Amino acid sequence: MHPSTRTTSFLVPAFQPAGTAYALFALLAATVAPVAASDTLAPADQIRVLSEASQAFEEGIALKGSDPDGAVDAFATATRKYQALVDSGVRNGRLYYNLGNAELQQGRLGPAILNYRRAAKLTPGDQRLMSSLGFAR
């Protein structure tokens, strides 16, 4: 199985124990770069959007075998939500990795490679990331 088809999200597990939301908030808050006020998401909204993106990605994985069109739609939703986080100023390698995975699952190799390369700049030496990048190339 290719790394981008795993059923567990690299960034946000499907079920988080209490207290993990705080850790996620801290991770997101620490990676936010200044952006225009119109693009900014409040930290609580970032967590919500991230959770929705991860759920959409997991739905896409679940639908791949039985409903390919539904899977593509779910991956497109995940892509939009991950991209909304990037557009709001969140910069971290795991986010770009997940965005690359969502793009790859839609067959969008160029955007997938671009996001894997962005992730590699922020998380050098990540073997799973390098494997996904190699697969996309």
Side-chain angles (χ1 to χ4, degrees):
M1 177 183 315
H2 183 266
S4 66
T5 61
R6 293 186 179 153
T7 59
T8 56
S9 174
F10 184 51
L11 187 54
V12 178
F15 300 99
Q16 300 177 15
T20 304
Y22 175 77
L24 179 59
F25 169 76
L27 173 67
L28 288 173
T31 60
V32 175
V35 294
S38 63
D39 293 339
T40 303
L41 289 173
D45 291 331
Q46 290 176 351
I47 292 169
R48 177 187 48 79
V49 170
L50 180 60
S51 177
E52 291 170 356
S54 296
Q55 288 172 0
F57 187 87
E58 297 298 326
E59 179 183 348
I61 293 295
L63 291 173
K64 272 184 89 165
S66 62
D67 182 6
D69 291 336
V72 169
D73 290 343
F75 291 128
T77 297
T79 297
R80 282 191 305 275
K81 293 188 179 285
Y82 287 135
Q83 187 62 53
L85 291 168
V86 170
D87 293 346
S88 76
V90 177
R91 301 288 182 268
N92 89 37
R94 290 179 177 172
L95 175 59
Y96 286 122
Y97 175 81
N98 285 350
L99 182 53
N101 285 344
E103 294 282 16
L104 184 64
Q105 292 297 328
Q106 296 171 80
R108 296 172 37 99
L109 296 180
I113 291 169
L114 173 66
N115 285 295
Y116 288 147
R117 291 183 65 167
R118 288 174 175 162
K121 286 182 179 181
L122 297 170
T123 54
D126 183 311
Q127 292 304 310
R128 190 163 49 170
L129 168 59
M130 298 314 293
S131 175
S132 295
L133 178 56
F135 182 82
R137 287 181 173 162

